[in-house]
Amino acid sequence: MTVCLVLAYLLPLSAQTEPVDTIEELILPDTTIVIFDVLDKQASFPGGLDSLFRFLANAIVYPESAKEEMIEGIVFVQFVIERDGSISNVETVRSLHPVLDKVACDAIGELPPWSPGEKDGVTVRSLYIFPVNFRLDSAEKKKVRKKNRHKERK
C-alpha cells in the first residue's frame, strides 16, 4: 500500500528585525539572522520546487506508529539557509505529533545545499518555514482500520 506525502509550499518570511540603510550594515556574525522584506534573489533549491518535493518525498518515511493511530496533518518546520547554502537551525514551529515533528525536521536537516539568497549583490542568510503535510491515502486508511478492527476482536 502507498502512503501519500503531500508537501506544501515554501514560505520565505518577510519581516525585517531592524531597518538598515545599506547592505554593508548587514554584514553580521553568523549567529545573527536578518530577514529582508524583499530579496533581489530568493534562496532556491537545486532543480526547483519539484526537485525539493521529490527529495523530501523520498527522505520522509511515514512512521508506523503514526499510521496505526491515523495521525494526519501539517508540521511547520523553520530553518535557515546559510550564506554557503547549507541548512541550519531546523526546528518545529507548529507541532502535529512528536514522532512526525522529528521525521519532518530530520528530512529538512538532510537537504543538500541550496543557492543562497542575495540582497544588493551580497549573499545573505534566509529564514524559511516549510509546511510538511502528512496524509494517508485511502488504501492505507482502509488497511489500518481493518487492522484495528482485528485487534479489537482479540
Side-chain angles (χ1 to χ4, degrees), residues 73-78 91-97 101 129 131-132:
I74 300 172
V75 176
F76 287 85
V77 179
Q78 175 178 285
E91 63 183 340
T92 301
V93 292
R94 192 167 98 193
S95 176
L96 173 61
H97 184 278
D101 297 348
I129 294 178
V132 179

Side-chain angles (χ1 to χ4, degrees), residues 10 39 41-45 81 114-118 124 126 128:
L10 190 63
L39 287 177
K41 177 185 158 209
Q42 291 287 337
S44 60
F45 188 79
I81 301 168
W114 291 44
S115 297
E118 292 182 8
V124 295
S126 304
Y128 278 82

Side-chain angles (χ1 to χ4, degrees), residues 8 10 20 23-24 29-30 33 37 43 50 52 57 59-60 62 75 87 89 97-98 104 110 120 122 125:
L10 190 63
V20 294
I23 192 67
E24 287 76 25
D30 282 341
I33 298 174
D37 287 328
D50 288 342
L52 173 61
I60 294 175
Y62 212 121
V75 176
I87 302 298
N89 302 346
H97 184 278
E110 293 173 9
D120 295 335
V122 177
R125 301 173 82 206

Side-chain angles (χ1 to χ4, degrees), residues 53-113:
F53 295 152
R54 271 192 304 280
F55 179 91
L56 290 174
N58 290 326
I60 294 175
V61 177
Y62 212 121
E64 285 299 319
S65 61
K67 283 187 206 178
E68 289 171 6
E69 294 180 42
M70 294 182 64
I71 300 170
E72 297 181 295
I74 300 172
V75 176
F76 287 85
V77 179
Q78 175 178 285
F79 59 99
V80 174
I81 301 168
E82 297 291 343
R83 287 190 278 260
D84 66 359
S86 64
I87 302 298
S88 70
N89 302 346
V90 179
E91 63 183 340
T92 301
V93 292
R94 192 167 98 193
S95 176
L96 173 61
H97 184 278
V99 171
L100 294 175
D101 297 348
K102 182 176 181 347
V103 168
C105 285
D106 288 350
I108 294 292
E110 293 173 9
L111 290 172

Side-chain angles (χ1 to χ4, degrees), residues 15-27:
Q16 185 173 323
T17 55
E18 290 183 29
V20 294
D21 293 327
T22 65
I23 192 67
E24 287 76 25
E25 294 178 51
L26 297 172
I27 308 303

